[in-house]
Amino acid sequence: MQAANMHGKVALVTGAAAGLGRATALKCAQAGASVCLADIDADGLAKVAEEVRGLGARALARPTDLAVAENCPALVEAAVAEFGRLDALCNVAAVMIPAHTPEMPVAAFQATLAVNLAAPFYLVQAAIPHLLAAHGAVVNVASAVGEVAQAYTAAYCASKAGLIHMTRSLAMEYMHQPVRFNAVAPGGMMTALARNMLTLEGGDPSLMARCSPLRGLVELDDVADMIVFLASDAARGYHGGCIVIDKGLSAG
């Protein structure tokens, strides 16, 4: 795999205050990109912005609640206003609220779909003119459970399955235009989302264990490396793909 080179390019990374979003932002900076960082956690975002600058890259920290649709185009325009262009949109932010289905609050279901599925769409809508001009790329972070279902996370699984298919649909729509759409589907990683599963009471352990990879958790840096590769020109042959990184979870 050719190394990602993003010198002179601009990436917008959501969910950048922690976990995979932070790892992706730092990898973008290491590859030479200026980075617009978005997250609802303003304090965490400020710390990551300093880390990005410490790597010699420019950073814009933009605290944003992606569950509010109107914030998505404003975020894209802020990135373009700051850096003058946009080359890569990395939709990493996610919400997972485990629950027994009869007990899933309406607000929790709606927030899951708003952040995981609607926000990437609205961000893509706003970013497309800029990405076409830059011959850029969109990388949507889905999940292995978008393909292999997981108990007690119906909303999350539905949102990630939808995100995978939305990525493919966008790839078809823009088949003859200079922008690429791909997805990454990681297995379980040591993030706040994974730790949320431990808070569920009364779950059947045998069902929850079905999505535990036998080879252990996926490394954040491995997924971040793939995201940045797909966001860069090195991945010019990738369009409409969903790259699974799950240590064999979905193999059988």
Side-chain angles (χ1 to χ4, degrees):
M1 185 170 68
Q2 183 179 342
N5 182 345
M6 298 190 72
H7 287 278
K9 297 184 181 296
V10 175
L12 193 168
V13 180
T14 67
L20 181 59
R22 171 184 172 273
T24 300
L26 296 178
K27 294 283 186 178
C28 284
Q30 289 168 351
S34 299
V35 190
C36 177
L37 308 153
D39 201 290
I40 199 169
D41 177 4
D43 291 340
L45 205 62
K47 293 176 183 176
V48 177
E50 286 306 308
E51 290 184 273
V52 168
R53 295 182 186 113
L55 294 169
R58 296 175 63 194
L60 171 65
R62 184 81 177 185
T64 305
D65 182 358
L66 293 173
V68 179
E70 294 78 10
N71 290 345
C72 295
L75 174 59
V76 171
E77 293 311 312
V80 175
E82 177 73 13
F83 299 117
R85 60 185 293 151
L86 182 63
D87 299 89
L89 170 60
C90 303
N91 286 310
V92 184
V95 169
M96 182 175 71
I97 304 170
H100 300 273
T101 295
E103 301 167 7
M104 182 73 166
V106 170
F109 183 89
Q110 292 176 336
T112 301
L113 267 65
V115 174
N116 297 2
L117 186 58
F121 179 80
Y122 298 138
L123 288 165
V124 165
Q125 271 191 320
I128 278 175
H130 307 290
L131 295 174
L132 286 171
H135 294 201
V138 174
V139 185
N140 291 323
V141 177
S143 170
V145 301
E147 302 273 9
V148 179
Q150 173 176 261
Y152 310 117
T153 56
Y156 181 77
C157 289
S159 70
K160 293 303 187 178
L163 186 60
I164 292 169
H165 212 56
M166 186 176 83
T167 303
R168 292 168 176 157
S169 178
L170 289 164
M172 290 302 299
E173 182 175 348
Y174 286 87
M175 187 63 70
H176 301 302
Q177 298 184 62
V179 58
R180 294 179 296 103
F181 294 88
N182 289 287
V184 175
M189 300 173 287
M190 187 45 66
T191 65
L193 293 186
R195 288 188 287 271
N196 280 351
M197 285 300 296
L198 302 177
T199 67
L200 181 69
E201 295 183 2
D204 183 337
S206 68
L207 295 179
M208 297 170 74
R210 290 184 68 188
C211 283
S212 299
L214 297 176
R215 292 188 172 207
L217 294 173
V218 175
E219 297 293 334
L220 287 175
D221 281 349
D222 291 346
V223 183
D225 280 334
M226 178 56 70
I227 294 169
V228 177
F229 169 72
L230 291 172
S232 76
D233 292 340
R236 57 187 175 274
Y238 290 74
H239 183 59
C242 180
I243 312 302
V244 177
I245 308 175
D246 68 359
K247 290 195 172 182
L249 172 64
S250 58

